[in-house]
Structure formats: C-alpha cells, structure tokens
Amino acid sequence: MKCKTFLRRAASALLSCLLGCSCMAVQPVFADETALSIRGDLNRDGLVNAADLSLLEQILLGRERNDMDASAADWDGNGSLTAADAWGLQGFLLGIPENSTGLNPKMFAAALDGIDVRIEGDDILQTGTVNGQDYTMTLNLSKWEKNTTPEQLVTLSRLFWQCYPRMYARYADLSEAPSAVTLAIENEGYEVAGASGNFVHLHDTWLKRYPNDFDCITHELAHVIQNGWYGEYLEDSGFIERFADCSRYEYALDSGRYNDGGWTLQTIADESTRSTSVRFLVWLDYNYTDADTDILRNYLDVCRNSKISSDQWERAWNEIFAGTKLADRTIDEVWAMFAASDFANLSSHSSSGSGSELLNRYPIREKILSLEQQ
Ligand SMILES: [Zn+2]
C-alpha cells in the first residue's frame, strides 16, 4: 500500500514536471551495435529521451509493457524498478549532474511539502520552517551502501518533518534541544539505531531486514529532544528509554501506520512496575495532561534537569503530578489506579492503518493533536 501510494505521488509529480517543462532535453546516446542494453533506453531506439521516461512511468503505474528493455529501466541498478529509477532518469534528462548519492533532490522535495531540498556531496540537506521555527535535517549518506532504498530514505525524511517539530514544540524549551539534526544511514556501527547529541545513526541494513520499522527513528529523535539526562537523578535509569518509547508511540509516523503492527506497548502483565512501564507514561499523559498542565513536560523537566537525586525520587513524583488532578496522590496510589484500568490491558497492536483496541477506546494521538491546536 505504502509503495503504491508513493509511486502514484512520484509518478504524478513526474508527469506534472514533464507537462510543465519545455526544457526537457533530448540526450542522444549512440548505440554500440554489440551492446545488449543502454541505461535508460527502454524502447531500444538508441536514444535516451522523454519517450523512455514515459514508458517507465507506465510500468510504475502498473501497466504491463513487454516491448521494452527491463534492464535499461533499472536506472539505479539495484535490481528492482521503483520510482527512484524514474527520478534518476528524469534527472539525467533535465541535465542534473549525477552526484555521489545518485539521487535526485526532486524526489525528496515532491514528498516534503514546503521543504527546501538540495544535495551537497554525500548530504541531502533539507531546510524548512514549521509553525515559525526553522529546522534543518541533514540526511548523511557517506556510509550508505543502498541497502536502505531511496523510497525508504524519503519516508525517513517525511518522518523527521512530521514528528520532530511536534516534539520540539512541546519540549525543546526545557531541554534546549537542537533544531538541526543529522540522520546518517551507515553500513557500519551499531546494527540498529542510536542517537548522540543531534546525530542519529541508522544502520543501513536495518530497514532492509525490517522494512516498516521507521519509528525506531522516532524513538531516536526523542533522545535528541531529551538532549542528555543522567541516571543518578532518576528513580530508574530505564526512564531514559521509557520516555523515548512513549514518544515513539505518541508521535508515530502517519498515526502509527508503520509502528503499531510491529511494535506494541506491553500490557501490565509484561510491564508490572512503574519503573518498567512505557504504557504508564502514555496513560498519565492521556488522562492528566490538559491545556494548563502538561504532565510529560513535568516528567521531562524533573528527569532531565537533575532536580532531584535518585534517593529522594519520591518527591519527584509530587513535582510531576503538580498542577494535575493527581496532585494529592502518592505514586503508589496512582500506579494502583493505572493497574485497575482497562488502559493497562487493552492490546495496542493493529495491522497497518487501522486502530488497535487501545486506540479505539482511548484516542491517544488525537488528544495530543487537539492539545497542540489549543
Ligand atoms: Zn533509546
């Protein structure tokens, strides 16, 4: 589904460019009589031109064509025909010089409304303004070996622009989080993903193995938002990860379309204490954040700003609950309320694009969006 939608969008962007552009140069390529295949010459007429691009678009739109050279259509040479091949061929026809990434910046710009995209060396630089705040996302491809597909790179870029500004608007003043972030796709290093400062690493093979696990990057971006905090000021050092996982759930790309099928909030049977529970944070936020008091901002502030040492943590919960309906409760009482709720037990799993038991009963993501609009 994702792929088809993407291809449709890419193909329509290409078509509109083709129709609107009179600058489409015909680039003659002289055929070597013995050559079996010329890159881009789908109709085997010895020229690489708009007719070949038109053929490629028809294939991407699902129309069967037997009268063309399939290997010539695979512009990026990765063994499959995707929108990236059309973008590559189009870039060639428009005279855009091939750069070290082999990618056409228009492919990203078409998916990122209002974001300026340009390629500098191994970087795809994306700059834009969201709700009055300027952001820069640098997609660094110096160690990219094309295990992550161009389409996945576009989706990761969409993820940044959809998720990071929302988290930034909510928390950055407390943590002095950066507005410029680098996401490096690296075929080396830690085999999943990690964050350090404003640098996020994603192993190049991760999305090849788990093609929909984009929201591991939402988790890493939440670490960038945290901007460092210290275990000795926490009841449990796992809170660092719990906050990132809570954010992963709340800010998941496209309302959890890629997240909720493969990554779920554990129920209370699996996360039996407040120190191990991500769902407890989501429950606190859903039920007790309102227009006046943001309980997760309280949580981030207490955790991140080294306000209370671990041995006095009981007092931290008082600060976290301050200003909410939980203000006169102890943490043990609050945990008991959570444990008695069906919120602690409903399944958060859903196949892509449909609600889970938990979301059907508690529209968690809608509530966060409505608070953002107030
Ligand atoms: Zn983490």
PDB file of all heavy atoms in Angstrom, residues 157-183:
ATOM      1  N   SER A 157      12.731  10.862   5.748  1.00  0.00           N
ATOM      2  CA  SER A 157      12.713  12.326   5.704  1.00  0.00           C
ATOM      3  C   SER A 157      11.335  12.841   6.095  1.00  0.00           C
ATOM      4  O   SER A 157      11.216  13.792   6.876  1.00  0.00           O
ATOM      5  CB  SER A 157      13.070  12.817   4.295  1.00  0.00           C
ATOM      6  OG  SER A 157      14.343  12.331   3.921  1.00  0.00           O
ATOM      7  N   ARG A 158      10.304  12.208   5.570  1.00  0.00           N
ATOM      8  CA  ARG A 158       8.938  12.599   5.959  1.00  0.00           C
ATOM      9  C   ARG A 158       8.761  12.453   7.460  1.00  0.00           C
ATOM     10  O   ARG A 158       8.132  13.272   8.115  1.00  0.00           O
ATOM     11  CB  ARG A 158       7.902  11.720   5.237  1.00  0.00           C
ATOM     12  CG  ARG A 158       7.572  12.157   3.835  1.00  0.00           C
ATOM     13  CD  ARG A 158       6.167  11.698   3.416  1.00  0.00           C
ATOM     14  NE  ARG A 158       5.902  10.303   3.628  1.00  0.00           N
ATOM     15  CZ  ARG A 158       5.063   9.830   4.550  1.00  0.00           C
ATOM     16  NH1 ARG A 158       4.400  10.659   5.335  1.00  0.00           N
ATOM     17  NH2 ARG A 158       4.882   8.529   4.661  1.00  0.00           N
ATOM     18  N   LEU A 159       9.311  11.362   7.996  1.00  0.00           N
ATOM     19  CA  LEU A 159       9.193  11.124   9.441  1.00  0.00           C
ATOM     20  C   LEU A 159       9.781  12.298  10.220  1.00  0.00           C
ATOM     21  O   LEU A 159       9.153  12.813  11.142  1.00  0.00           O
ATOM     22  CB  LEU A 159       9.891   9.818   9.831  1.00  0.00           C
ATOM     23  CG  LEU A 159       9.784   9.384  11.289  1.00  0.00           C
ATOM     24  CD1 LEU A 159       9.904   7.863  11.396  1.00  0.00           C
ATOM     25  CD2 LEU A 159      10.825  10.025  12.194  1.00  0.00           C
ATOM     26  N   PHE A 160      10.968  12.715   9.839  1.00  0.00           N
ATOM     27  CA  PHE A 160      11.581  13.832  10.564  1.00  0.00           C
ATOM     28  C   PHE A 160      10.652  15.036  10.564  1.00  0.00           C
ATOM     29  O   PHE A 160      10.379  15.632  11.610  1.00  0.00           O
ATOM     30  CB  PHE A 160      12.935  14.218   9.963  1.00  0.00           C
ATOM     31  CG  PHE A 160      13.505  15.451  10.631  1.00  0.00           C
ATOM     32  CD1 PHE A 160      14.233  15.331  11.798  1.00  0.00           C
ATOM     33  CD2 PHE A 160      13.261  16.727  10.129  1.00  0.00           C
ATOM     34  CE1 PHE A 160      14.714  16.467  12.455  1.00  0.00           C
ATOM     35  CE2 PHE A 160      13.734  17.864  10.770  1.00  0.00           C
ATOM     36  CZ  PHE A 160      14.456  17.732  11.944  1.00  0.00           C
ATOM     37  N   TRP A 161      10.171  15.405   9.376  1.00  0.00           N
ATOM     38  CA  TRP A 161       9.392  16.654   9.262  1.00  0.00           C
ATOM     39  C   TRP A 161       8.024  16.534   9.903  1.00  0.00           C
ATOM     40  O   TRP A 161       7.444  17.518  10.328  1.00  0.00           O
ATOM     41  CB  TRP A 161       9.306  17.088   7.793  1.00  0.00           C
ATOM     42  CG  TRP A 161      10.649  17.560   7.330  1.00  0.00           C
ATOM     43  CD1 TRP A 161      11.556  16.865   6.569  1.00  0.00           C
ATOM     44  CD2 TRP A 161      11.276  18.799   7.662  1.00  0.00           C
ATOM     45  NE1 TRP A 161      12.703  17.600   6.412  1.00  0.00           N
ATOM     46  CE2 TRP A 161      12.557  18.799   7.062  1.00  0.00           C
ATOM     47  CE3 TRP A 161      10.889  19.918   8.397  1.00  0.00           C
ATOM     48  CZ2 TRP A 161      13.446  19.860   7.180  1.00  0.00           C
ATOM     49  CZ3 TRP A 161      11.771  20.987   8.517  1.00  0.00           C
ATOM     50  CH2 TRP A 161      13.027  20.959   7.902  1.00  0.00           C
ATOM     51  N   GLN A 162       7.522  15.334  10.000  1.00  0.00           N
ATOM     52  CA  GLN A 162       6.222  15.147  10.644  1.00  0.00           C
ATOM     53  C   GLN A 162       6.345  15.065  12.159  1.00  0.00           C
ATOM     54  O   GLN A 162       5.533  15.630  12.885  1.00  0.00           O
ATOM     55  CB  GLN A 162       5.575  13.857  10.106  1.00  0.00           C
ATOM     56  CG  GLN A 162       4.147  13.656  10.549  1.00  0.00           C
ATOM     57  CD  GLN A 162       3.577  12.345  10.029  1.00  0.00           C
ATOM     58  OE1 GLN A 162       3.253  11.448  10.798  1.00  0.00           O
ATOM     59  NE2 GLN A 162       3.464  12.208   8.718  1.00  0.00           N
ATOM     60  N   CYS A 163       7.355  14.370  12.660  1.00  0.00           N
ATOM     61  CA  CYS A 163       7.414  14.049  14.091  1.00  0.00           C
ATOM     62  C   CYS A 163       8.273  15.029  14.898  1.00  0.00           C
ATOM     63  O   CYS A 163       7.897  15.416  16.007  1.00  0.00           O
ATOM     64  CB  CYS A 163       7.954  12.629  14.291  1.00  0.00           C
ATOM     65  SG  CYS A 163       6.985  11.374  13.444  1.00  0.00           S
ATOM     66  N   TYR A 164       9.443  15.373  14.357  1.00  0.00           N
ATOM     67  CA  TYR A 164      10.379  16.130  15.189  1.00  0.00           C
ATOM     68  C   TYR A 164       9.869  17.523  15.568  1.00  0.00           C
ATOM     69  O   TYR A 164       9.950  17.904  16.745  1.00  0.00           O
ATOM     70  CB  TYR A 164      11.755  16.219  14.511  1.00  0.00           C
ATOM     71  CG  TYR A 164      12.821  16.744  15.451  1.00  0.00           C
ATOM     72  CD1 TYR A 164      13.384  15.916  16.418  1.00  0.00           C
ATOM     73  CD2 TYR A 164      13.244  18.076  15.390  1.00  0.00           C
ATOM     74  CE1 TYR A 164      14.343  16.395  17.307  1.00  0.00           C
ATOM     75  CE2 TYR A 164      14.204  18.557  16.274  1.00  0.00           C
ATOM     76  CZ  TYR A 164      14.751  17.716  17.225  1.00  0.00           C
ATOM     77  OH  TYR A 164      15.690  18.189  18.112  1.00  0.00           O
ATOM     78  N   PRO A 165       9.320  18.299  14.617  1.00  0.00           N
ATOM     79  CA  PRO A 165       8.840  19.634  15.020  1.00  0.00           C
ATOM     80  C   PRO A 165       7.754  19.577  16.093  1.00  0.00           C
ATOM     81  O   PRO A 165       7.666  20.480  16.931  1.00  0.00           O
ATOM     82  CB  PRO A 165       8.297  20.219  13.705  1.00  0.00           C
ATOM     83  CG  PRO A 165       9.101  19.545  12.648  1.00  0.00           C
ATOM     84  CD  PRO A 165       9.257  18.137  13.152  1.00  0.00           C
ATOM     85  N   ARG A 166       6.940  18.549  16.104  1.00  0.00           N
ATOM     86  CA  ARG A 166       5.899  18.436  17.139  1.00  0.00           C
ATOM     87  C   ARG A 166       6.529  18.194  18.506  1.00  0.00           C
ATOM     88  O   ARG A 166       6.147  18.807  19.504  1.00  0.00           O
ATOM     89  CB  ARG A 166       4.939  17.303  16.789  1.00  0.00           C
ATOM     90  CG  ARG A 166       4.133  17.557  15.518  1.00  0.00           C
ATOM     91  CD  ARG A 166       3.206  16.390  15.213  1.00  0.00           C
ATOM     92  NE  ARG A 166       2.224  16.217  16.279  1.00  0.00           N
ATOM     93  CZ  ARG A 166       1.617  15.060  16.543  1.00  0.00           C
ATOM     94  NH1 ARG A 166       1.898  13.986  15.825  1.00  0.00           N
ATOM     95  NH2 ARG A 166       0.741  14.985  17.518  1.00  0.00           N
ATOM     96  N   MET A 167       7.491  17.278  18.560  1.00  0.00           N
ATOM     97  CA  MET A 167       8.165  17.019  19.844  1.00  0.00           C
ATOM     98  C   MET A 167       8.957  18.250  20.280  1.00  0.00           C
ATOM     99  O   MET A 167       8.991  18.607  21.458  1.00  0.00           O
ATOM    100  CB  MET A 167       9.093  15.799  19.722  1.00  0.00           C
ATOM    101  CG  MET A 167       8.357  14.482  19.542  1.00  0.00           C
ATOM    102  SD  MET A 167       9.433  13.030  19.729  1.00  0.00           S
ATOM    103  CE  MET A 167      10.125  12.877  18.107  1.00  0.00           C
ATOM    104  N   TYR A 168       9.586  18.887  19.298  1.00  0.00           N
ATOM    105  CA  TYR A 168      10.385  20.084  19.595  1.00  0.00           C
ATOM    106  C   TYR A 168       9.503  21.180  20.189  1.00  0.00           C
ATOM    107  O   TYR A 168       9.853  21.804  21.203  1.00  0.00           O
ATOM    108  CB  TYR A 168      11.059  20.561  18.301  1.00  0.00           C
ATOM    109  CG  TYR A 168      12.004  21.727  18.474  1.00  0.00           C
ATOM    110  CD1 TYR A 168      13.364  21.524  18.609  1.00  0.00           C
ATOM    111  CD2 TYR A 168      11.524  23.041  18.475  1.00  0.00           C
ATOM    112  CE1 TYR A 168      14.236  22.596  18.760  1.00  0.00           C
ATOM    113  CE2 TYR A 168      12.384  24.120  18.631  1.00  0.00           C
ATOM    114  CZ  TYR A 168      13.740  23.888  18.779  1.00  0.00           C
ATOM    115  OH  TYR A 168      14.589  24.950  18.919  1.00  0.00           O
ATOM    116  N   ALA A 169       8.345  21.416  19.571  1.00  0.00           N
ATOM    117  CA  ALA A 169       7.451  22.473  20.047  1.00  0.00           C
ATOM    118  C   ALA A 169       6.996  22.193  21.484  1.00  0.00           C
ATOM    119  O   ALA A 169       6.791  23.099  22.277  1.00  0.00           O
ATOM    120  CB  ALA A 169       6.240  22.586  19.118  1.00  0.00           C
ATOM    121  N   ARG A 170       6.869  20.915  21.814  1.00  0.00           N
ATOM    122  CA  ARG A 170       6.372  20.568  23.147  1.00  0.00           C
ATOM    123  C   ARG A 170       7.457  20.666  24.214  1.00  0.00           C
ATOM    124  O   ARG A 170       7.184  21.075  25.339  1.00  0.00           O
ATOM    125  CB  ARG A 170       5.792  19.140  23.104  1.00  0.00           C
ATOM    126  CG  ARG A 170       5.148  18.714  24.409  1.00  0.00           C
ATOM    127  CD  ARG A 170       4.430  17.380  24.240  1.00  0.00           C
ATOM    128  NE  ARG A 170       3.757  16.990  25.490  1.00  0.00           N
ATOM    129  CZ  ARG A 170       3.075  15.864  25.662  1.00  0.00           C
ATOM    130  NH1 ARG A 170       2.948  15.019  24.650  1.00  0.00           N
ATOM    131  NH2 ARG A 170       2.509  15.587  26.813  1.00  0.00           N
ATOM    132  N   TYR A 171       8.677  20.278  23.862  1.00  0.00           N
ATOM    133  CA  TYR A 171       9.680  20.056  24.911  1.00  0.00           C
ATOM    134  C   TYR A 171      10.963  20.886  24.817  1.00  0.00           C
ATOM    135  O   TYR A 171      11.713  20.971  25.793  1.00  0.00           O
ATOM    136  CB  TYR A 171      10.124  18.584  24.891  1.00  0.00           C
ATOM    137  CG  TYR A 171       9.046  17.574  25.169  1.00  0.00           C
ATOM    138  CD1 TYR A 171       8.688  16.624  24.211  1.00  0.00           C
ATOM    139  CD2 TYR A 171       8.407  17.532  26.405  1.00  0.00           C
ATOM    140  CE1 TYR A 171       7.716  15.662  24.477  1.00  0.00           C
ATOM    141  CE2 TYR A 171       7.430  16.576  26.678  1.00  0.00           C
ATOM    142  CZ  TYR A 171       7.098  15.642  25.707  1.00  0.00           C
ATOM    143  OH  TYR A 171       6.139  14.700  25.981  1.00  0.00           O
ATOM    144  N   ALA A 172      11.275  21.427  23.636  1.00  0.00           N
ATOM    145  CA  ALA A 172      12.645  21.920  23.422  1.00  0.00           C
ATOM    146  C   ALA A 172      13.054  23.035  24.383  1.00  0.00           C
ATOM    147  O   ALA A 172      14.232  23.157  24.727  1.00  0.00           O
ATOM    148  CB  ALA A 172      12.822  22.389  21.979  1.00  0.00           C
ATOM    149  N   ASP A 173      12.096  23.838  24.840  1.00  0.00           N
ATOM    150  CA  ASP A 173      12.492  24.924  25.740  1.00  0.00           C
ATOM    151  C   ASP A 173      12.996  24.378  27.076  1.00  0.00           C
ATOM    152  O   ASP A 173      13.801  25.017  27.749  1.00  0.00           O
ATOM    153  CB  ASP A 173      11.322  25.889  25.965  1.00  0.00           C
ATOM    154  CG  ASP A 173      10.134  25.214  26.627  1.00  0.00           C
ATOM    155  OD1 ASP A 173       9.749  24.116  26.179  1.00  0.00           O
ATOM    156  OD2 ASP A 173       9.601  25.776  27.602  1.00  0.00           O
ATOM    157  N   LEU A 174      12.539  23.183  27.450  1.00  0.00           N
ATOM    158  CA  LEU A 174      13.001  22.584  28.709  1.00  0.00           C
ATOM    159  C   LEU A 174      14.379  21.950  28.576  1.00  0.00           C
ATOM    160  O   LEU A 174      15.141  21.895  29.537  1.00  0.00           O
ATOM    161  CB  LEU A 174      12.021  21.490  29.165  1.00  0.00           C
ATOM    162  CG  LEU A 174      10.630  21.939  29.615  1.00  0.00           C
ATOM    163  CD1 LEU A 174       9.775  20.710  29.890  1.00  0.00           C
ATOM    164  CD2 LEU A 174      10.736  22.800  30.871  1.00  0.00           C
ATOM    165  N   SER A 175      14.680  21.440  27.397  1.00  0.00           N
ATOM    166  CA  SER A 175      15.903  20.646  27.238  1.00  0.00           C
ATOM    167  C   SER A 175      16.939  21.311  26.334  1.00  0.00           C
ATOM    168  O   SER A 175      18.026  20.746  26.151  1.00  0.00           O
ATOM    169  CB  SER A 175      15.557  19.272  26.648  1.00  0.00           C
ATOM    170  OG  SER A 175      14.996  19.424  25.360  1.00  0.00           O
ATOM    171  N   GLU A 176      16.587  22.465  25.786  1.00  0.00           N
ATOM    172  CA  GLU A 176      17.467  23.128  24.819  1.00  0.00           C
ATOM    173  C   GLU A 176      17.845  22.184  23.684  1.00  0.00           C
ATOM    174  O   GLU A 176      19.005  22.103  23.256  1.00  0.00           O
ATOM    175  CB  GLU A 176      18.709  23.683  25.519  1.00  0.00           C
ATOM    176  CG  GLU A 176      18.358  24.733  26.566  1.00  0.00           C
ATOM    177  CD  GLU A 176      19.568  25.246  27.321  1.00  0.00           C
ATOM    178  OE1 GLU A 176      20.681  24.776  27.059  1.00  0.00           O
ATOM    179  OE2 GLU A 176      19.387  26.133  28.172  1.00  0.00           O
ATOM    180  N   ALA A 177      16.840  21.464  23.199  1.00  0.00           N
ATOM    181  CA  ALA A 177      17.063  20.514  22.100  1.00  0.00           C
ATOM    182  C   ALA A 177      17.445  21.260  20.829  1.00  0.00           C
ATOM    183  O   ALA A 177      17.006  22.394  20.606  1.00  0.00           O
ATOM    184  CB  ALA A 177      15.797  19.692  21.868  1.00  0.00           C
ATOM    185  N   PRO A 178      18.258  20.637  19.965  1.00  0.00           N
ATOM    186  CA  PRO A 178      18.702  21.308  18.735  1.00  0.00           C
ATOM    187  C   PRO A 178      17.599  21.339  17.674  1.00  0.00           C
ATOM    188  O   PRO A 178      16.755  20.444  17.615  1.00  0.00           O
ATOM    189  CB  PRO A 178      19.869  20.437  18.269  1.00  0.00           C
ATOM    190  CG  PRO A 178      19.549  19.075  18.810  1.00  0.00           C
ATOM    191  CD  PRO A 178      18.839  19.305  20.117  1.00  0.00           C
ATOM    192  N   SER A 179      17.632  22.363  16.822  1.00  0.00           N
ATOM    193  CA  SER A 179      16.677  22.423  15.713  1.00  0.00           C
ATOM    194  C   SER A 179      17.309  21.913  14.409  1.00  0.00           C
ATOM    195  O   SER A 179      16.647  21.843  13.387  1.00  0.00           O
ATOM    196  CB  SER A 179      16.174  23.851  15.516  1.00  0.00           C
ATOM    197  OG  SER A 179      17.266  24.706  15.275  1.00  0.00           O
ATOM    198  N   ALA A 180      18.590  21.569  14.472  1.00  0.00           N
ATOM    199  CA  ALA A 180      19.280  20.973  13.314  1.00  0.00           C
ATOM    200  C   ALA A 180      19.721  19.566  13.697  1.00  0.00           C
ATOM    201  O   ALA A 180      20.411  19.376  14.698  1.00  0.00           O
ATOM    202  CB  ALA A 180      20.482  21.813  12.921  1.00  0.00           C
ATOM    203  N   VAL A 181      19.296  18.590  12.920  1.00  0.00           N
ATOM    204  CA  VAL A 181      19.561  17.189  13.251  1.00  0.00           C
ATOM    205  C   VAL A 181      20.171  16.509  12.027  1.00  0.00           C
ATOM    206  O   VAL A 181      19.783  16.781  10.890  1.00  0.00           O
ATOM    207  CB  VAL A 181      18.241  16.474  13.646  1.00  0.00           C
ATOM    208  CG1 VAL A 181      18.473  14.990  13.906  1.00  0.00           C
ATOM    209  CG2 VAL A 181      17.625  17.146  14.881  1.00  0.00           C
ATOM    210  N   THR A 182      21.147  15.624  12.276  1.00  0.00           N
ATOM    211  CA  THR A 182      21.704  14.804  11.202  1.00  0.00           C
ATOM    212  C   THR A 182      21.243  13.369  11.378  1.00  0.00           C
ATOM    213  O   THR A 182      21.317  12.818  12.484  1.00  0.00           O
ATOM    214  CB  THR A 182      23.247  14.846  11.238  1.00  0.00           C
ATOM    215  OG1 THR A 182      23.676  16.175  10.930  1.00  0.00           O
ATOM    216  CG2 THR A 182      23.852  13.883  10.226  1.00  0.00           C
ATOM    217  N   LEU A 183      20.738  12.794  10.308  1.00  0.00           N
ATOM    218  CA  LEU A 183      20.399  11.369  10.298  1.00  0.00           C
ATOM    219  C   LEU A 183      21.342  10.697   9.312  1.00  0.00           C
ATOM    220  O   LEU A 183      21.316  11.003   8.117  1.00  0.00           O
ATOM    221  CB  LEU A 183      18.932  11.159   9.885  1.00  0.00           C
ATOM    222  CG  LEU A 183      18.494   9.718   9.615  1.00  0.00           C
ATOM    223  CD1 LEU A 183      18.679   8.838  10.849  1.00  0.00           C
ATOM    224  CD2 LEU A 183      17.037   9.671   9.156  1.00  0.00           C
TER     225      LEU A 183
END
